[in-house]
Amino acid sequence: MPPKLVPYTLTPRDPTWQVHRARELLVEMEQRRSCRDFSPKPVPRDLIEQAIAIAHSAPSGANRKPWRFVAIDDLTIKREIRIAAEHEEKESYDHRMPREWLDALEPIGTTWKKPFLEVAPWLVVIFRIDWEEIDSRRVKNYYPIESAGLAAGFFLMACHQLGLATLTHTPSPMNFLRDICRRPENEKPYLLIPVGYPAENCRVPDLVKKPLTDAMQWNRSSTR
Ligand code: IYR
């Protein structure tokens, strides 16, 4: 069966507008930082839902949208997540992470302690779904890791554009999130994203960012 096709157009944009918008967006996005010190100031549930709706518009392998976003504002659940995450992170920092990794994290100043998991008004847990049961058959999803990454990127950008701070947190291992969120075995925790506002006296590391010229190339490289 040939696919059913529908028209596709974009709002026509003037080249001057495009350049202006690109500059504006770059300035806005360069202001995004990973936040580890949140204010308890609440964020309306509707705003979180809108950010997730934007994330859900991301492209995905064979349009399967192999992700689930679990949004948590219940203090009991946030506390459970903090306790489990800190347990794993303490193990990692004390025993599992090699010296080289600990050295790489030193300029960021992270430790096993994760108070933000309780303070941030929302924790959004993204699960990736590698397969789904349809008519009691296991149906494989395509590129679930890449797809979940795209949705996560859309989510982070949406939050920032809405004036919300985020952190891409990766407690490791993080299977405890599946139990705490009561998700089935085919949903694998992918990222834990606290969302909220920076605390009043929030500080972030004074990091030097890799220049764009080190991260892109036009056509073929002249240096082999
Ligand atoms: N998961 C640990 C270590 C860590 C990993 C990355 I990648 C960071 O950018 C920062 C920390 C933790 O969250 O502390």
Side-chain angles (χ1 to χ4, degrees), residues 36 89 93 97 101 105 108 110-111 114 169-172:
R36 292 181 173 82
E89 290 291 275
Y93 276 83
M97 289 154 78
W101 189 355
L105 291 180
I108 309 177
T110 52
T111 71
K114 308 294 173 191
H169 183 39
T170 52
S172 170

Side-chain angles (χ1 to χ4, degrees), residues 15-194:
T16 318
W17 180 92
Q18 289 175 311
V19 172
H20 179 79
R21 182 69 190 124
R23 281 208 197 106
E24 200 176 64
L25 198 52
L26 177 61
V27 168
E28 279 173 27
M29 290 315 296
E30 279 184 342
Q31 282 168 17
R32 188 198 166 274
R33 296 296 308 260
S34 287
C35 177
R36 292 181 173 82
D37 190 6
F38 284 86
S39 150
K41 183 181 164 176
V43 172
R45 183 191 169 108
D46 278 358
L47 208 50
I48 298 296
E49 184 168 337
Q50 289 301 319
I52 295 173
I54 293 165
H56 189 62
S57 76
S60 62
N63 191 30
R64 291 282 175 78
K65 304 203 183 283
W67 50 65
R68 179 173 309 277
F69 285 70
V70 176
I72 300 155
D73 69 342
D74 181 295
L75 185 57
T76 310
I77 308 173
K78 288 196 292 182
R79 197 165 277 160
E80 252 182 82
I81 290 176
R82 177 185 179 179
I83 290 166
E86 287 188 334
H87 174 80
E88 290 297 354
E89 290 291 275
K90 184 156 187 353
E91 231 4 70
S92 293
Y93 276 83
D94 290 353
H95 306 294
R96 293 193 285 238
M97 289 154 78
R99 185 74 256 158
E100 202 181 16
W101 189 355
L102 294 170
D103 289 347
L105 291 180
E106 206 178 278
I108 309 177
T110 52
T111 71
W112 62 267
K113 292 188 193 135
K114 308 294 173 191
F116 53 75
L117 292 174
E118 267 183 75
V119 180
W122 289 94
L123 300 182
V124 173
V125 187
I126 308 182
F127 290 82
R128 63 174 237 243
I129 304 176
D130 288 4
W131 53 271
E132 290 180 64
E133 203 163 284
I134 301 172
D135 302 330
S136 41
R137 267 189 332 118
R138 267 193 189 198
V139 181
K140 199 171 112 53
N141 281 330
Y142 301 97
Y143 297 103
I145 303 173
E146 293 81 350
S147 302
L150 290 164
F154 273 43
F155 182 73
L156 294 176
M157 178 139 175
C159 286
H160 182 70
Q161 290 283 316
L162 297 173
L164 295 171
T166 49
L167 171 67
T168 44
H169 183 39
T170 52
S172 170
M174 57 175 156
N175 279 336
F176 65 86
L177 288 169
R178 179 193 283 145
D179 299 330
I180 293 176
C181 299
R182 312 243 165 97
R183 298 311 312 161
E185 56 156 346
N186 64 330
E187 298 190 15
K188 200 170 164 39
Y190 181 77
L191 264 185
L192 169 48
I193 308 182

